[in-house]
Amino acid sequence: MQITLFDTNGFDRTITLSETSLTAIAESQVVWIDVDRSKQKDLTELASWLEISSLGLPAEDDGRARPRVDNFGSWLKVRVLTVSADEMAQPLYFLVGRNWIVTVHDGAIEVLDSFDRQIRDDSQLGRLSGTSFLAAMLDWHLTGFFRAIERLEKEVDSWDDRAMAPQPGVLLLPNLRQLRQKIAALRRLLIPHREVYSALIRPDISSVFGMVESDSIFLTLWNQMERAIDSIDNARELVLGSFEMYSAQTAQKTNDVMRVLTVVTVLLLPIGTLAGVLGMNFQARIFATQDRGFWTTVTLMASLMTTGAFLAYRLGWVQLSFQEEGTTRLEADEAKK
């Protein structure tokens, strides 16, 4: 348990529960108590210091509960789900009073670590109330989702590049499906928080501490959460765009193969016709030419094949593979520069 006292008139410092009491906290001070439940199971002393019922403290068996806000008259309990760097959900509880706030969690929380680094040595935090402190933490809660969305969008961009220039041995479709599942999981994680942010702007919640100005703060957070949902939907559309690009590339490859097969079939058609005519059972002078007639026929067949292939290349029906590979490598080198 880490207890930090933010004092506008003095220096912020770390204290213990035995050093002061809740009634001794001045108007220019606010207390942040951070509890890691994996290291401290018993919260009875904390409930006694806050002068609240221990029944309202987060229980260890409600880890799968939905995000929600509970109103206990003089204080609030807020449950949210944070997203870690590996897109895993972590429950986080806020107990909020007039000039105190308690965070309860299991293990390290990236959102709290980032918030702590930002506010360190900020002596003006003592001017904040418990609800304003909660709003600042919830802002970082949404920032965690924006960072997760940013990571997913970068991953989408990398797969877009691979879809444009497929590499042998790289399966795009399973990776795109896995990426879409990540985005869907992130959206399912964020959507239930509408209940939390809509509850915080209700009159019965905002009147707990008698602070009307908190309405505009939480309304701003509500709008920010909606933008986060829109960003997730946009990331999902980007994945669908990558899939369409991959499908177009696959269809283009199929068309190229069919075009080559068609050209080869057309080139072999006159040769097959010539071979069929010469294979008829009739007497002709050409059969009396022996080796000269044979090599003349072979030369004619090769000439037909060469002429047909040249015309197909000039008309753009087929392209040399080394030219396509060279062009792709040239584009990749230009992109690196």
Side-chain angles (χ1 to χ4, degrees):
M1 182 185 302
Q2 181 177 354
I3 307 174
T4 306
L5 176 65
F6 297 96
D7 191 349
T8 306
N9 300 324
F11 295 100
D12 302 337
R13 60 188 185 275
T14 301
I15 62 175
T16 61
L17 295 180
S18 59
E19 290 183 25
T20 184
S21 62
L22 183 62
T23 56
I25 304 300
E27 292 292 334
S28 60
Q29 296 175 335
V30 63
V31 176
W32 175 22
I33 305 175
D34 183 56
V35 180
D36 188 346
R37 204 161 43 182
S38 63
K39 300 179 180 178
Q40 180 161 348
K41 302 291 185 180
D42 189 9
L43 302 180
T44 306
E45 181 184 3
L46 176 62
S48 176
W49 190 86
L50 295 174
E51 300 177 357
I52 62 175
S53 174
S54 59
L55 298 177
L57 295 177
E60 295 185 11
D61 58 350
D62 61 354
R64 297 184 180 180
R66 289 177 59 87
R68 57 178 299 170
V69 177
D70 294 319
N71 186 356
F72 291 90
S74 60
W75 62 283
L76 301 175
K77 182 173 73 171
V78 181
R79 184 187 190 273
V80 298
L81 294 174
T82 64
V83 57
S84 60
D86 53 354
E87 279 79 40
M88 296 296 295
Q90 297 175 293
L92 174 62
Y93 292 88
F94 298 100
L95 312 180
V96 189
R98 182 179 59 85
N99 55 354
W100 55 268
I101 184 169
V102 180
T103 53
V104 183
H105 53 89
D106 297 318
I109 298 290
E110 182 182 0
V111 172
L112 293 181
D113 294 338
S114 301
F115 180 76
D116 183 56
R117 287 193 299 268
Q118 185 194 31
I119 67 173
R120 192 170 298 167
D121 300 327
D122 188 356
S123 60
Q124 299 301 315
L125 286 176
R127 298 179 181 272
L128 298 179
S129 62
T131 52
S132 299
F133 211 98
L134 172 65
M137 288 188 169
L138 289 179
D139 179 72
W140 273 95
H141 168 249
L142 293 176
T143 299
F145 281 95
F146 279 113
R147 290 178 176 176
I149 296 171
E150 183 179 356
R151 290 192 296 267
L152 291 175
E153 288 179 345
K154 288 182 179 179
E155 192 172 350
V156 173
D157 291 339
S158 66
W159 286 112
D160 276 346
D161 296 337
R162 298 179 184 180
M164 290 295 294
Q167 301 175 359
V170 178
L171 300 178
L172 292 178
L173 189 57
N175 290 281
L176 289 177
R177 182 173 64 249
Q178 184 180 8
L179 185 57
R180 189 177 185 276
Q181 291 174 351
K182 288 182 181 180
I183 295 176
L186 186 63
R187 192 177 191 275
R188 289 193 301 268
L189 188 62
L190 180 59
I191 287 296
H193 289 88
R194 280 177 169 168
E195 300 178 12
V196 173
Y197 289 92
S198 62
L200 291 174
I201 58 178
R202 292 203 314 258
D204 59 316
I205 298 297
S206 60
S207 62
V208 171
F209 307 105
M211 297 185 64
V212 181
E213 63 271 14
S214 62
D215 295 349
S216 59
I217 299 176
F218 291 117
L219 182 59
T220 301
L221 290 176
W222 166 265
N223 295 330
Q224 188 174 350
M225 187 202 67
E226 290 296 327
R227 288 195 297 270
I229 295 176
D230 293 339
S231 298
I232 294 178
D233 293 337
N234 180 64
R236 184 168 57 178
E237 293 296 329
L238 291 177
V239 174
L240 294 179
S242 299
F243 176 76
E244 293 176 357
M245 187 182 304
Y246 171 72
S247 300
Q249 288 289 332
T250 304
Q252 181 64 35
K253 281 187 173 182
T254 304
N255 292 337
D256 292 341
V257 171
M258 295 304 299
R259 182 167 59 247
V260 171
L261 292 177
T262 302
V263 171
V264 171
T265 302
V266 171
L267 293 177
L268 293 176
L269 180 60
I271 298 176
T273 303
L274 179 60
V277 171
L278 295 178
M280 294 180 179
N281 189 16
F282 61 88
Q283 297 297 326
R285 293 180 180 179
I286 189 173
F287 295 109
T289 58
Q290 297 181 356
D291 290 346
R292 185 179 62 181
F294 172 77
W295 289 112
T296 300
T297 304
V298 171
T299 303
L300 179 60
M301 290 181 176
S303 299
L304 291 174
M305 287 284 293
T306 304
T307 303
F310 178 74
L311 290 176
Y313 172 72
R314 290 299 299 270
L315 294 176
W317 295 346
V318 292
Q319 294 180 354
L320 299 180
S321 60
F322 68 85
Q323 288 186 346
E324 290 183 347
E325 183 179 357
T327 303
T328 303
R329 290 181 179 177
L330 180 60
E331 293 176 353
D333 292 340
E334 291 179 353
K336 291 180 179 179
K337 294 178 180 179

